[in-house]
Amino acid sequence: ATDEKRKTLSDLVKRIAKNINIPFTVGGGISSIEDVEVLLNSGADKVSVNSAAFKNYQLIKDLSNRFGRQCVVVAIDTKYENNDWYVYLNGGKIKTGITAIDWSKKAEELGAGEILLTSMNNDGTKNGFANDITRLISESVNIPIIASGGAGKIEHFKEVFINGKADAALAASVFHYKEIEIPMLKKYLNEQNITIRL
């Protein structure tokens, strides 16, 4: 995050924060306390760190100590291969050889307040979330797990909450293109006895 990039992002965060009244998490290029201070002062509620946190464990500790663990989301991109789920860095380009479960436990130990788990195998398929690894990680840590990657229909959200034991679920294109309307999804989940704020 060069000074110029940081300024561009902080301006965007300010504009978004003025127009919404829901919690707002910002990620991308965050590698220091200074980056986070700028974003929080611009209106973000939380920050998401991925590759920088994996490469520098101290970053998670520093952010958690300075801003509170509730502010620190550790994003994990994972891919299933050779009978396990491995962590990938740099937008899914670099395999680490570390399993998603091991990194999730370590991230929690270091001070992460939430895990944002994206299955690279499922992302963009619209065939459903990776409920197996989501559940395994949810059962292995004591912090919330946000499932990401694979949402295609309304039932997938029910499945990730019940079978995947996720605390939250993220989707992009199905919302952007209004294939699933958020109020309709909330109503459906409420009818399935899944606790959700309407």
Side-chain angles (χ1 to χ4, degrees), residues 6 9 14 33 82 149 153 194:
R6 187 182 297 147
L9 186 56
K14 281 177 187 168
I33 283 176
N82 302 323
K153 56 185 183 180
I194 292 167

Side-chain angles (χ1 to χ4, degrees), residues 26-27 45 76 100 117 127 131 145 150 163:
V26 178
D45 296 283
I76 300 175
L117 181 70
N127 291 327
N131 294 324
I145 305 298
N163 302 332

